Amino acid sequence: DRTAGKICRGDYSRCVEHQSVYFEGIEFMLKKIYNKVTHEWDTSVEEALKSFIRLPALSPDFDKKWEENGVLLKALEDAQAWAEKQGIKGLRCEIIKDDGFTPCLFVEVDATSDKKFERSVFFYGHLDKQPPNEGWDPDKSAWEPVIQNGRLYGRGAVDDGYAFYTSLAAVKALQTLGIPHPRCVGLFETCEESSSRHYESYLKEAEQKLGDIGLVIALDSCCGDYDRLWVTSSLRGMLGGTIEVRTLNVGVHSGEASGIVPESFMIVRRLLDRIEDSRTGEIIPRVFQTKISEEIHKQNVGVAESLGDRIFAAYPWHGKTEPLTKDACEALLNRSWRPELTVTGVDGMPSVENAGNVMRPYTTVKIGMRLPPDVDAEKASTALEEIITAEPPFNADVKYVPTVASNGWSAKAAAPWITKAFEKASETYWGNKPAYMGLGASIPLVKLFSEKWPHAQFMVSGALGPNSNAHGPNESLHIEYCKKQTASVAYLISQYEEH
């Protein structure tokens, strides 16, 4: 009702006479939401995120004394304290902590809508971090927040401390504007960077509190650029483990042993050659591969046309290094629907400075393999162990110890209401249609959520875009994109439907 200055919230989809008024009302509402979200960011969210960055809340895999030093718990206590100061009506927060398990924060906000929804909106995010790592610019650091050129720098800024604060800021924006919303719940963890090994137990523990879920919002994902709303359509699975090759009991003089004793790193190379073609990077065994459908190929063609060379420019290439492929679409398919191998760590090797003429007794490498979204991770892990340990070269002692096996996820067909909400938010805030893209990273819990709540719609999204560099030096959050994304979340919640 423009004359009364009110926002139309009725269902005018069958009312041709009032459709133009309705859509003007929607755009007005979207702009009001953005303005309110911006206010929340400027007056509250930014400072909360800066405080979070200052916390060295390392994930358990990187801090064996996490329980003793209490930093992960402190991250949740700070988040809870901030939430309880926001004046969100019907808010309840509770820290859940089981012995030996990293803590979680349960959040519940009562519905303000008169509609009797059977299901709730669910928020997911995490407040644990990767280690600081080396290579930060002199004027930046992992634990001291810095804002430069519209970005907030610091460890955990984009991966993904903002998810908790912006999710609740979206709910607050709706309440402040008097826009009804359904019941919202969330379970925020502190073990995501260590494979979320405690989360499923907490999810079962909180099952009755959570209730059934109709919309999952997970903001731990990526965006291809900052010019539109990006929605993740698939996530790869993940295998991880260590390969140890031992040929000697102690190191010996290389001049005496070479030519007689097989070198352990040589054997590691041969074992990796069973998995990967080192000339192309292609994974050889069929057990790790899948068939790429025409629909998926078409989707990636569209993304490639939108991003072009920016797909390659997003990485900090050294010198004249070239990509595995210069075809943008093939690069996207490699990253999202094909298996790829990475060696992420090595033990048994001294530094170059300290290396003498010694044949080392062993080499251990840590590997990670990204799997296509529909490949069973447990079966793939078993196959990987069999391939590596079968018929060891020179009968060397070869061991494979799996550390992670998590399934990928592919989104089901979206309901019309959520597709329309994505389109309206993206076109209003960015002036472009939304983009849908499969990602090479893993969020193992999304698969779990889709199995636990089969009726749920999903918004898997994130602000991790070009030059955000999560896990590496100069991690940063693009502030303007984050504001628009938060406003999009608020609008999506306001449009929630059940069928």
Side-chain angles (χ1 to χ4, degrees), residues 5 7 10 30 35 66 127 129 175 183 200 233 252 316-317 333 384 387 437 458:
I7 298 169
L30 279 158
N35 290 338
W66 63 268
L127 290 161
K129 307 181 185 184
Q175 288 192 358
R183 176 177 178 264
E200 190 169 359
S233 57
V252 298
W317 300 94
L333 290 170
L384 182 61
I387 291 168
M437 179 172 64
F458 281 76

Side-chain angles (χ1 to χ4, degrees), residues 115-121 182-183 212-215 415 417 455 457 495-499:
K115 294 183 180 179
K116 303 300 180 183
F117 292 115
E118 295 181 6
R119 306 182 184 100
S120 302
V121 175
R183 176 177 178 264
D212 199 3
I213 301 299
L215 172 61
W417 71 265
H455 300 292
Q457 295 291 309
Q495 300 301 295
Y496 174 71
E497 293 184 10
E498 289 182 353
H499 296 286

Side-chain angles (χ1 to χ4, degrees), residues 7-42:
I7 298 169
C8 298
R9 302 190 193 100
D11 181 8
Y12 293 93
S13 59
R14 289 171 290 182
C15 182
V16 177
E17 181 182 352
H18 294 288
Q19 275 186 355
S20 62
V21 175
Y22 171 64
F23 285 115
E24 276 191 42
I26 289 294
E27 289 181 358
F28 175 73
M29 180 172 75
L30 279 158
K31 291 173 182 177
K32 293 288 286 185
I33 290 173
Y34 171 79
N35 290 338
K36 183 56 186 171
V37 163
T38 296
H39 174 77
E40 292 300 322
W41 175 275
D42 293 342

Side-chain angles (χ1 to χ4, degrees), residues 456-479:
Q457 295 291 309
F458 281 76
M459 179 187 183
V460 180
S461 187
L464 209 172
N467 302 313
S468 289
N469 213 27
H471 297 200
N474 300 330
E475 176 181 343
S476 64
L477 175 69
H478 191 288
I479 294 173

